[in-house]
Amino acid sequence: MEIIMSVAIGFLFMAAVYLMLSKSLIRIIIGTGLLSHGAHLLLLTMGGLGGQAPPVVADGVSVGDYADPLPQALILTAIVISFAVTSFFLVVAYRSYQELGTDNMEQLRGTDDYE
Amino acid sequence: MSFVFLIFLPILAALFVPLLFKKMRQIHTGWFVLIVPVILFVYYAMLVPTTSEGGQLVSSFQWIPSLDIAIVAYIDGLSLLFSLLITGIGALVVLYSIFYLDKNREQLHNFYVYLMMFMTAMLGVVQSDNLISLYFFWELTSISSFLLIGYWYTRDRSRFGALKSMMITVFGGLMMLGGFVLLGIMGNTYSIRELIAQAPEMASHSFFTWALILILLGAFTKSAQFPFYIWLPDAMEAPTPVSAYLHSATMVKAGLYLVARFTPIFAVSGTWMWLVAGVGLFTMFWGSFFALKQKDLKAILAFSTVSQLGLIMSLLGASAAGYHIGGAADTVFKYAAFAAIFHLINHATFKGSLFMVAGIVDHETGTRDIRKLGGLMGLMPITFTIAMIGSFSMAGLPPFNGFLSKEMFLTAMLSLTEFNLFSMDVWGVLFPVIAWIGSVFTFIYSFFFVFHTFAGKHKPDLLPKKAHEAPIGMLVSPAFLALLVLVIFFIPNQVGDWLIKPAVVAIQPFLYTAPADVNIHVSAWHGLQPEFWMTLGIFLVGGLLFWKLHKWQRAYDRFPDNFTLNRLYDNLMYLSDGGANRFSALYMTGFIRSYLVYMFSFLIIIVLGALVLNDAFSINLNNLAPVGFYEIVILLALIGSTVTILASKSRLTAIIALGAVGYSIALFFVIFRAPDLALTQLVIETISVALFLLAFYHLPQLSLKEERMKFKLGNAIIALGVGVTVTLVALSSHSQKALPSISQFYKETVYSEAGGGNIVNVILVDYRGFDTLFEIAVLGIAGIGIITMIKLRLSKKEGQHENQ
């Protein structure tokens, strides 16, 4: 399973990078969203996918059967942080639409005589 | 007395100069300044008896003891000679400048502060025994020279000349620092004396040649040797006292001092001998040849300085030959170092006076253009006499000191033909030949200088001012120097005993141990030797060519300007400036896409490169979780929605497909037994999609023009590269786990230690609570940022005002 997941994560990264290289601001932000999804899945996969039980203490489950809790805690933190950053990005993009009237990155280019 | 502090006397005195300039307007500031070099000169003159008996004096001041950096003043024959030149000519130049610079029109406080700064720097260079402090003072001379050349900073030419000299000498200075550091590593000390003591061991070190070349670069740039001489003619924009002091008598000799000082270390090397002697001799020829092309009095003198410095340099190179000859103290090879020092003194006297003469001519006629000058002999008889003494000495005529050192120069060059190491026996014959040709041109330009200025027809209508004799004060310094020119001719052996022989011992410690050992007697007449015939030839050929000068001097104008070294320098500066501009314009496109492309490309190259080079890729098929049916279904949904994002035409579709990706991932979390993640992911994906819709769908003017993303091959290749890289790294790292997980500890202790059942939550708030604290902070900051972005709206005008 880990091999298949690795390939799928690679695919997510590929799509994310392709979107980030595009001209449209919204596609770039969608790309960052895909990239964080890929990273979260990567964290989970690298922790090992072999757990038999969720990491909640229950009767009759031996210690070795719980899924690894540490990557899950890390991912939870990462999800929240990427959510915070993404929402801030979105508002920045929204404001730049309002002020500049475009979402084309090639028009959002600083000029040399900018002070 | 710890005379190391005397080095700093001028720069300390400089602190009072602005005060004196402001408060004592009626007295020319130069009179106060004059006291400093006079005191120093008298002090150093009193040390002459000590060194002439072979004594040395050391005085040190600890600067950074833990790094072996100290300011050590070491006085032996060589450094005392230079110190006397610096303070003696310094005093004369200050005296001259008092009459040259007007106290009401000029910014004297600047001038004398820079000049005193320079004097300290120069004394420091010649007395330093520590390499690092030598470098420190060396750069200080570059800086003060820069300030003095640019003294009239409102003129374009001054600023250009100052910058040019700065660029070239600082380039050399930095190279020299490299050489010093190498020497320090080789000898494990920064003290020059200790390095000289262990010179034989160092010659076989692998850094030896590098140190040699780097130090020579420093010496050649400072002493205006070929091809670095180009800054010196442009430095003539400085006030004339500066030209006389820095650019003839002292600073340009710092490179000569360096070569002389390091001869005991490097003389063993053939590279050293060839480079120093060869470059010096070629510079001598080149400078004398192009001196005749110049139209400006000071430019003629600048080229002549270049030429004479080359002459001294070649003699210093020849002095290294004595190291290789057994019993050299009894052969003709002994002359080279003596001749070098002798000519160094002579050059300082006659060139200093000639510069002052050029300054007087400029001051009293308003021009230095030799085509406008002429016939000043009757109007300025004293100046003419001084100029004639200086020029004749420069040309090598008796009864002036230049004659004696020129004779010894020819002797030394002739001796090189007998030297049979380093293929000198084949090429050595070139040395006297080039030396002779250079001397002929020296003869011609010396006559050109004096006679085209003072003889011939007077052209009063071409002169901006009515020419008349200079005030007596301005004539004192050049007259004194001209007197020295004569005096030295008649008492060369006294000068030799007091000053030159101790210096020769410092240069050639492998030949002599004490000044008394230097068995050289200078005589004006030494029989019908080859030198005599060569000198006679110089006079005859030179005189003949000077007579017909008007016929062939125009040939100089045919030299193409495009191939000069100055043009090369200009192009180099232009290229580095414009080239750097064009280079950054090439890759700094301003598009985010370009920068992302660079970053991703480097990521791919570095990571894949590391994988391949370390042979790190591997797949381990053991210990894998089984592939289940639901996982595959969700995976297909995930991939399907990702493809939809890529292929969608409208933004709405893309946003919804992104939501689908998020929900598939939540389902993955469910399947892979992560309930908390699944909950969070579901909620957050919902809010994110809502935000996306809020931000983009409700902007009407943007939804009008929607198009599918165009396929771009370049982007696709980079994206594919990143995807492949991530996959390979993931596979390799999963297959090569070095250590077991630490989660065992959490699983076992979660209830007994932390009293909780949900291991993930306990990790978040108990085991690793700090992460959570700052994650909350991130969320808070994002919230505040969003509010600020939405609420705070300065209008454009106000916004610009804020920026200012």
Side-chain angles (χ1 to χ4, degrees):
Chain A
M1 192 67 222
E2 279 88 348
I3 295 178
I4 298 173
M5 286 306 286
S6 296
V7 175
I9 291 159
F11 180 74
L12 275 181
F13 268 86
M14 187 190 82
V17 170
Y18 190 76
L19 286 165
M20 287 166 80
L21 293 172
S22 74
K23 279 191 289 191
S24 144
L25 192 54
I26 184 169
R27 289 204 167 98
I28 291 177
I29 299 181
I30 290 177
T32 60
L34 275 185
L35 198 75
S36 39
H37 286 325
H40 300 157
L41 272 189
L42 186 65
L43 274 173
L44 192 70
T45 311
M46 291 299 106
L49 300 172
Q52 301 298 318
V56 179
V57 176
D59 289 336
V61 182
S62 74
V63 167
D65 285 343
Y66 291 122
D68 196 338
L70 188 57
Q72 295 193 12
L74 296 181
I75 294 169
L76 199 59
T77 309
I79 288 176
V80 176
I81 289 175
S82 71
F83 167 69
V85 174
T86 307
S87 45
F88 184 69
F89 275 177
L90 282 169
V91 174
V92 171
Y94 173 80
R95 290 283 295 130
S96 75
Y97 277 2
Q98 280 193 331
E99 291 290 323
L100 307 166
T102 180
D103 77 332
N104 186 341
M105 288 309 290
E106 299 198 354
Q107 290 172 4
L108 293 172
R109 183 184 163 207
T111 48
D112 285 343
D113 45 271
Y114 167 80
E115 283 175 334
Chain B
M1 179 175 178
S2 53
F3 53 85
V4 62
F5 295 107
L6 281 181
I7 294 177
F8 296 98
L9 183 66
I11 209 163
L12 290 177
L15 295 177
F16 299 98
V17 165
L19 191 73
L20 290 167
F21 180 66
K22 293 279 179 217
K23 295 289 171 201
M24 316 272 273
R25 292 297 305 217
Q26 64 280 17
I27 304 173
H28 195 288
T29 317
W31 289 114
F32 303 110
V33 174
L34 185 60
I35 303 165
V36 177
V38 169
I39 290 175
L40 287 174
F41 182 80
V42 171
Y43 179 79
Y44 289 127
M46 289 192 304
L47 299 179
V48 167
T50 317
T51 59
S52 65
E53 285 157 18
Q56 289 121 22
L57 300 155
V58 184
S59 158
S60 63
F61 162 67
Q62 289 299 318
W63 184 11
I64 313 175
S66 57
L67 293 177
D68 182 25
I69 294 175
I71 296 180
V72 183
Y74 170 63
I75 288 198
D76 63 352
L78 189 63
S79 42
L80 187 67
L81 170 72
F82 273 91
S83 303
L84 284 172
L85 276 181
I86 292 159
T87 49
I89 306 233
L92 293 173
V93 161
V94 171
L95 181 66
Y96 177 75
S97 72
I98 290 170
F99 296 92
Y100 188 83
L101 295 172
D102 189 282
K103 72 169 184 271
N104 297 318
R105 272 179 295 148
E106 301 286 354
Q107 297 177 310
L108 293 177
H109 50 311
N110 291 351
F111 182 80
Y112 287 110
V113 168
Y114 301 159
L115 201 71
M116 288 297 104
M117 195 164 122
F118 172 78
M119 198 177 285
T120 284
M122 206 57 214
L123 284 174
V125 164
V126 300
Q127 293 184 9
S128 280
D129 180 56
N130 186 286
L131 289 176
I132 301 298
S133 67
L134 170 54
Y135 172 72
F136 167 75
F137 288 117
W138 185 276
E139 291 299 27
L140 196 57
T141 63
S142 294
I143 292 165
S144 45
S145 163
F146 170 80
L147 292 169
L148 283 166
I149 297 168
Y151 172 66
W152 286 309
Y153 52 80
T154 49
R155 301 180 187 173
D156 278 345
R157 293 293 308 164
S158 296
R159 294 201 304 271
F160 174 77
L163 185 65
K164 191 173 182 178
S165 74
M166 183 80 163
M167 294 296 280
I168 294 178
T169 52
V170 168
F171 160 77
L174 286 174
M175 295 295 119
M176 188 185 80
L177 177 64
F180 282 177
V181 172
L182 289 183
L183 268 187
I185 294 171
M186 283 156 66
N188 204 21
T189 174
Y190 282 124
S191 160
I192 297 174
R193 277 172 301 152
E194 291 171 28
L195 285 170
I196 289 175
Q198 43 178 303
E201 296 101 81
M202 285 201 292
S204 52
H205 200 284
S206 55
F207 289 160
F208 183 75
T209 310
W210 287 108
L212 187 161
I213 290 173
L214 289 173
I215 288 176
L216 273 190
L217 269 178
F220 285 172
T221 48
K222 198 72 151 188
S223 276
Q225 297 297 294
F226 186 88
F228 305 111
Y229 71 87
I230 50 174
W231 65 267
L232 187 61
D234 283 309
M236 291 302 130
E237 296 300 323
T240 301
V242 173
S243 307
Y245 188 37
L246 273 69
H247 306 124
S248 78
T250 53
M251 188 181 84
V252 287
K253 291 189 171 131
L256 299 175
Y257 167 79
L258 199 71
V259 168
R261 186 53 94 194
F262 284 98
T263 295
I265 295 179
F266 292 116
V268 59
S269 154
T271 320
W272 172 269
M273 206 179 137
W274 264 108
L275 273 178
V276 178
V279 170
L281 199 65
F282 186 71
T283 309
M284 185 233 171
F285 164 73
W286 187 274
S288 64
F289 184 71
F290 281 101
L292 277 168
K293 190 184 176 207
Q294 308 308 316
K295 311 280 187 285
D296 178 11
L297 285 186
K298 277 173 81 175
I300 298 174
L301 291 177
F303 273 89
S304 117
T305 303
V306 169
S307 165
Q308 305 277 326
L309 292 171
L311 186 158
I312 301 170
M313 191 68 91
S314 69
L315 284 171
L316 288 173
S319 75
Y323 184 87
H324 301 275
I325 305 278
D330 303 319
T331 65
V332 280
F333 291 105
K334 66 189 174 185
Y335 283 105
F338 190 94
I341 296 299
F342 194 25
H343 197 70
L344 195 146
I345 298 173
N346 294 345
H347 178 249
T349 55
F350 67 68
K351 192 53 64 70
S353 72
L354 285 179
F355 266 110
M356 291 176 188
V357 163
I360 290 171
V361 170
D362 185 17
H363 209 265
E364 305 308 331
T365 65
T367 183
R368 298 193 312 248
D369 191 327
I370 200 156
R371 288 165 299 187
K372 295 181 185 166
L373 295 167
L376 297 176
M377 202 187 294
L379 294 163
M380 308 167 80
I382 308 172
T383 316
F384 167 67
T385 312
I386 297 166
M388 200 176 65
I389 294 173
S391 299
F392 283 8
S393 174
M394 184 157 74
L397 287 174
F400 308 104
N401 57 10
F403 172 75
L404 300 174
S405 48
K406 186 63 73 68
E407 293 283 287
M408 298 183 76
F409 167 61
L410 294 173
T411 311
M413 286 296 122
L414 279 172
S415 75
L416 280 182
T417 55
E418 296 166 28
F419 189 65
N420 54 8
L421 267 176
F422 314 133
S423 44
M424 276 287 177
D425 44 346
V426 185
W427 298 102
V429 70
L430 280 177
F431 281 84
V433 172
I434 299 176
W436 187 82
I437 300 173
S439 303
V440 171
F441 279 105
T442 305
F443 185 90
I444 305 170
Y445 74 65
S446 302
F447 274 51
F448 177 61
F449 175 84
V450 65
F451 288 115
H452 281 236
T453 308
F454 292 99
K457 213 166 72 193
H458 186 46
K459 302 162 217 169
D461 43 327
L462 285 178
L463 299 179
K465 281 162 128 183
K466 198 175 167 330
H468 56 81
E469 185 59 278
I472 188 79
M474 213 186 246
L475 288 168
V476 171
S477 300
F480 183 76
L481 285 172
L483 192 68
L484 272 183
V485 167
L486 267 171
V487 168
I488 292 175
F489 177 81
F490 290 107
I491 55 158
N493 292 306
Q494 274 70 17
V495 178
D497 289 341
W498 292 331
L499 296 174
I500 303 174
K501 287 180 182 176
V504 169
V505 175
I507 301 176
Q508 295 182 316
F510 39 83
L511 287 188
Y512 312 109
T513 49
D517 299 345
V518 188
N519 55 345
I520 297 175
H521 186 80
V522 190
S523 56
W525 173 252
H526 41 71
L528 295 176
Q529 299 292 319
E531 296 90 313
F532 172 78
W533 298 112
M534 282 171 86
T535 308
L536 204 63
I538 290 168
F539 294 163
L540 288 176
V541 177
L544 196 71
L545 283 173
F546 177 69
W547 183 41
K548 295 287 179 197
L549 187 63
H550 56 282
K551 295 211 169 149
W552 59 273
Q553 198 184 16
R554 252 171 266 141
Y556 276 103
D557 298 334
R558 301 208 178 168
F559 279 101
D561 271 343
N562 283 333
F563 296 102
T564 55
L565 287 166
N566 281 320
R567 185 57 63 91
L568 185 74
Y569 169 84
D570 292 343
N571 285 341
L572 215 62
M573 296 305 283
Y574 176 77
L575 269 182
S576 59
D577 191 15
N581 244 335
R582 260 172 283 152
F583 180 63
S584 38
L586 198 71
Y587 72 91
M588 301 284 284
T589 54
F591 296 119
I592 290 223
R593 184 188 164 267
S594 317
Y595 306 134
L596 284 176
V597 166
Y598 306 146
M599 289 191 246
F600 285 130
S601 313
F602 275 102
L603 177 101
I604 297 168
I605 293 170
I606 291 169
V607 176
L608 278 189
L611 263 185
V612 172
L613 287 178
N614 295 320
D615 202 17
F617 180 72
S618 74
I619 291 189
N620 181 1
L621 293 176
N622 300 326
N623 202 13
L624 293 179
V627 180
F629 172 70
Y630 295 111
E631 284 95 324
I632 298 297
V633 171
I634 299 168
L635 204 62
L636 288 178
L638 177 84
I639 291 173
S641 21
T642 312
V643 171
T644 313
I645 294 175
L646 292 171
S648 70
K649 189 178 174 197
S650 83
R651 295 187 176 87
L652 188 57
T653 320
I655 291 169
I656 290 174
L658 180 68
V661 171
Y663 287 136
S664 331
I665 289 183
L667 285 179
F668 266 125
F669 289 152
V670 171
I671 288 196
F672 291 131
R673 294 161 197 93
D676 305 289
L677 290 185
L679 281 173
T680 319
Q681 178 70 22
L682 278 173
V683 172
I684 279 188
E685 199 58 37
T686 313
I687 300 173
S688 296
V689 171
L691 266 174
F692 265 100
L693 293 174
L694 205 71
F696 295 97
Y697 187 66
H698 290 289
L699 283 172
Q701 76 270 28
L702 285 163
S703 54
L704 288 178
K705 206 182 111 199
E706 291 213 297
E707 52 186 342
R708 189 162 281 130
M709 206 173 19
K710 289 196 200 82
F711 180 75
K712 289 211 178 100
L713 187 63
N715 293 357
I717 291 173
I718 288 172
L720 187 68
V722 172
V724 169
T725 310
V726 170
T727 305
L728 292 180
V729 171
L731 288 176
S732 315
S733 55
H734 187 261
S735 304
Q736 304 172 63
K737 283 200 170 136
L739 295 166
S741 167
I742 55 162
S743 297
Q744 197 70 15
F745 168 75
Y746 297 130
K747 291 177 190 169
E748 282 167 359
T749 59
V750 65
Y751 195 76
S752 58
E753 298 284 331
N758 186 330
I759 310 178
V760 174
N761 285 4
V762 171
I763 291 178
L764 282 175
V765 297
D766 192 331
Y767 290 115
R768 299 174 60 89
F770 271 120
D771 288 0
T772 311
L773 174 63
F774 291 108
E775 161 198 341
I776 293 167
V778 168
L779 210 57
I781 291 167
I784 293 168
I786 289 167
I787 293 172
T788 327
M789 287 295 295
I790 299 205
K791 291 277 179 194
L792 276 184
R793 297 205 178 169
L794 298 167
S795 70
K796 271 187 180 158
K797 222 173 184 178
E798 285 169 316
Q800 279 174 351
H801 183 72
E802 289 283 303
N803 282 338
Q804 276 164 2

